[in-house]
Amino acid sequence: MHNDFPIRCLPEIAAMAFAKELTGLNFCPYALDALLLYGYGPAEACMVRDEIMEHQGEQIQCEQTLKSGKKG
């Protein structure tokens, strides 16, 4: 299989839409990325969470992001 998509995240977007439709979730499955990433790196997970919240119009950063001094 070869990936010729001009947008690199297009397959991930399609997979998330498929997962949402298949499971009947009432939220974007992308939100689970932050939760699943937390075990590997809390600061990185918080950056993902902050990015999700920013897209929803929220500007609240999670405490871990503020402590690390990182901004997405």
Side-chain angles (χ1 to χ4, degrees), residues 4-72:
D4 287 327
F5 295 114
I7 302 172
R8 291 192 179 273
C9 64
L10 191 57
E12 184 174 349
I13 293 169
M16 295 289 183
F18 175 76
K20 183 176 182 177
E21 184 69 26
L22 183 68
T23 61
L25 293 174
N26 63 353
F27 62 90
C28 178
Y30 182 62
L32 296 173
D33 282 356
L35 178 65
L36 297 172
L37 184 59
Y38 193 84
Y40 295 100
E44 289 78 9
C46 284
M47 287 173 35
V48 170
R49 180 247 179 226
D50 293 344
E51 183 181 321
I52 293 168
M53 295 303 290
E54 187 177 312
H55 285 288
Q56 294 298 314
E58 301 287 333
Q59 295 299 320
I60 302 167
Q61 288 188 331
C62 99
E63 186 177 329
Q64 189 71 28
T65 305
L66 295 172
K67 285 181 182 178
S68 71
K70 294 180 181 178
K71 181 152 173 121

